Amino acid sequence: MNAHRGSAVLSSTSLKVQPAATGISENHRLRLFSGSANVPLSQEVARYLGMDLGPMIRKRFADGELYVQIQESIRGCDVYLIQPSCQPVNDHLMELLIMVDACRRASARQITTVIPYYGYARADRKTAGRESITAKLVANLITKAGASRVLAMDLHSAQIQGYFDIPFDHVYGSPVILDYLANKQLSDVVVVSPDVGGVARARAFAKKLNDAPLAIIDKRRQAHNVAEVMNVIGDVKGKTAILVDDMIDTGGTISEGARLLRQEGANQVYACATHAVFSPPARDRLSGGLFEEVIVTNTIPIAEENRFAELVVLSVANLLGETIWRIHEDTSVSTLFR
């Protein structure tokens, strides 16, 4: 697999899935629509499924209100709406809710919201008095709008699945990243969790990466988006360290982790995350020479100003497309990840 740094978008080949949906007839009841958050990803998913995105009008009125109209009959159809709730989060979330409502009122048989990146996922519990559990609120809004099912990728907290009273399929971007790393044939690898909360994710990643050893970075968070790294638990000296997380936001946690790994003697440091949120000053922190590569997926579109030489972007379109097809055909999704 060839990789081009800075702007590469790579397809997942490790899944060994066949485009079973290729050649869907025009009369098939599966319909695919895209919100405005990540149209290129939706187009890739549609190509995998051998179909076109459904026609839809999206516009904004002068006062900022959003308008959506489905431009074909979906009566009795199984509709899949692709929309990550990335920045601007509130606009994209509201657009998704309007899309769901429009499909429900158009008599769709089943409405599945495909949310590659689930915004507000970090507000999954109360850490102080008088706080909102916003991840649960968003779940309530999606359900109340009329969604029949949810498909999401790499939730920040797996417990969010339990916030929904409708079927929920949780898939992972790790097969795409693992495939890319396997082709690099890195030696003397240690997988590193950037914090204690991510140990389960890192352990699962390490197991699939030829049972690589695991290290943990112990940190103390002083405030939102601010982290103070304390020490490394595990041996990283002379090794190729792979930091694994679900998302990179401002880049503070993962860049401080990389700095510490370098101090502890790591020869090379790679960063891997499914969601490239990249809020300022992420680009400056990630492009400072700490990393050999920063490997992310295209669940969130990455603006040109947020790209840098060490960035590698992998596509999860085939994975999402295969999952959509399996849901539609009532076959197993979990076997994709075994």
Side-chain angles (χ1 to χ4, degrees):
M1 181 182 295
N2 295 324
H4 301 285
R5 289 186 174 185
S7 60
V9 179
L10 308 177
S11 297
S12 55
T13 59
S14 65
L15 302 174
K16 295 182 174 59
V17 293
Q18 299 297 323
T22 300
I24 293 175
S25 71
E26 293 183 359
N27 294 324
H28 205 286
R29 290 186 178 273
L30 191 155
R31 295 289 186 271
L32 193 67
F33 294 89
S34 175
S36 62
N38 197 344
V39 175
L41 174 60
S42 301
Q43 291 171 335
E44 284 189 63
V45 173
R47 281 196 296 271
Y48 177 84
L49 290 168
M51 59 189 300
D52 296 322
L53 291 173
M56 184 173 65
I57 292 176
R58 298 186 303 266
K59 63 182 180 181
R60 185 185 297 273
F61 292 110
D63 63 355
E65 292 181 0
L66 299 171
Y67 173 85
V68 169
Q69 184 187 35
I70 307 299
Q71 291 285 287
E72 66 179 4
S73 174
I74 56 172
R75 184 179 298 274
C77 292
D78 295 339
V79 176
Y80 293 78
L81 306 174
I82 304 177
Q83 176 84 327
S85 48
C86 51
Q87 189 179 16
V89 180
N90 298 334
D91 283 358
H92 289 150
L93 175 59
M94 190 65 196
E95 182 183 356
L96 175 62
L97 297 175
I98 294 172
M99 290 165 62
V100 172
D101 185 70
C103 291
R104 180 174 62 86
R105 296 178 187 277
S107 301
R109 188 179 75 91
Q110 179 170 283
I111 304 166
T112 301
T113 58
V114 181
I115 310 175
Y117 170 70
Y118 188 96
Y120 286 111
R122 285 170 282 185
D124 62 335
R125 64 192 184 281
K126 290 180 68 173
T127 59
R130 298 172 296 282
E131 285 186 337
S132 168
I133 304 178
T134 321
K136 170 59 175 169
L137 173 62
V138 170
N140 290 344
L141 291 171
I142 292 171
T143 304
K144 190 65 176 178
S148 312
R149 176 185 293 268
V150 176
L151 165 60
M153 177 169 283
D154 273 315
L155 294 170
H156 185 68
S157 299
Q159 69 199 45
I160 291 172
Q161 298 172 77
Y163 295 168
F164 288 84
D165 294 325
I166 55 178
F168 194 109
D169 290 287
H170 187 203
V171 298
Y172 306 92
S174 56
V176 179
I177 298 173
L178 286 163
D179 176 53
Y180 174 76
L181 290 173
N183 287 330
K184 294 185 74 67
Q185 297 182 332
L186 300 174
S187 60
D188 211 5
V189 168
V190 57
V191 174
V192 184
S193 173
D195 53 38
V196 175
V199 170
R201 180 185 301 109
R203 183 183 292 118
F205 194 93
K207 183 177 181 180
K208 293 176 182 176
L209 197 63
N210 298 321
D211 281 319
L214 180 68
I216 304 166
I217 294 177
D218 179 42
K219 70 178 183 184
R220 300 291 185 267
R221 187 175 294 278
Q222 305 300 314
H224 293 300
N225 292 327
V226 177
E228 180 183 356
V229 174
M230 303 300 290
N231 64 299
V232 177
I233 304 170
D235 180 22
V236 299
K237 188 173 182 179
K239 296 181 181 293
T240 298
I242 301 178
L243 277 159
V244 177
D245 212 344
D246 63 315
M247 70 174 71
I248 301 175
D249 190 354
T250 63
T253 295
I254 210 156
S255 61
E256 287 300 316
R259 190 170 289 109
L260 181 60
L261 292 172
R262 295 283 190 183
Q263 292 171 3
E264 294 293 319
N267 282 343
Q268 295 182 312
V269 180
Y270 289 79
C272 298
T274 301
H275 309 300
V277 180
F278 286 2
S279 303
R283 184 186 184 279
D284 295 336
R285 287 171 169 170
L286 298 172
S287 60
L290 287 171
F291 302 97
E292 268 62 42
E293 290 181 352
V294 177
I295 305 162
V296 298
T297 77
N298 61 343
T299 57
I300 297 173
I302 302 173
E304 197 59 39
E305 60 267 23
N306 282 332
R307 294 179 180 269
F308 49 93
E310 298 86 355
L311 180 66
V312 175
V313 184
L314 309 177
S315 178
V316 293
N318 289 4
L319 175 57
L320 288 174
E322 180 66 19
T323 304
I324 288 171
W325 181 247
R326 291 186 179 208
I327 292 171
H328 185 67
E329 291 292 296
D330 295 324
T331 58
S332 174
V333 171
S334 62
T335 53
L336 274 171
F337 304 95
R338 291 178 185 170

